[in-house]
Amino acid sequence: MSVSIRFLPEDITVAATVGEPLLDVADRAGVSIPTGCLMGSCHACTVELDGEEIVRACIYSVPPGRQQLTVNVFSDPTW
Ligand code: FES
């Protein structure tokens, strides 16, 4: 089942599969999410989902049960 992932602020939408790491999806979309530790502890990769949920992209995969997801990539230098 494919999920449509929309990246903001670039406004690029790509198809992804459930369970695919978010960083891989971003890579495919040509969107760069800042990363540091890649282990979920530095918060460099923090993104916002659907304007309501804050997650760390490096430890997040495309969730089941939805058809689309909006990922807002912050460029906040304080993270
Ligand atoms: S890269 Fe450090 S929390 Fe994701």
Side-chain angles (χ1 to χ4, degrees), residues 18-79:
V18 170
E20 194 176 3
L22 192 58
L23 287 183
D24 288 0
V25 181
D27 213 41
R28 194 142 38 76
V31 171
S32 73
I33 296 177
T35 54
C37 67
L38 296 177
M39 286 165 33
S41 57
C42 76
H43 293 240
C45 60
T46 299
V47 297
E48 188 181 63
L49 303 182
D50 291 339
E52 55 189 24
E53 193 182 348
I54 305 287
V55 300
R56 278 155 282 164
C58 70
I59 52 168
Y60 190 81
S61 304
V62 177
R66 54 209 303 178
Q67 286 174 332
Q68 62 177 43
L69 189 65
T70 301
V71 178
N72 196 344
V73 181
F74 294 109
S75 48
D76 185 341
T78 61
W79 281 100

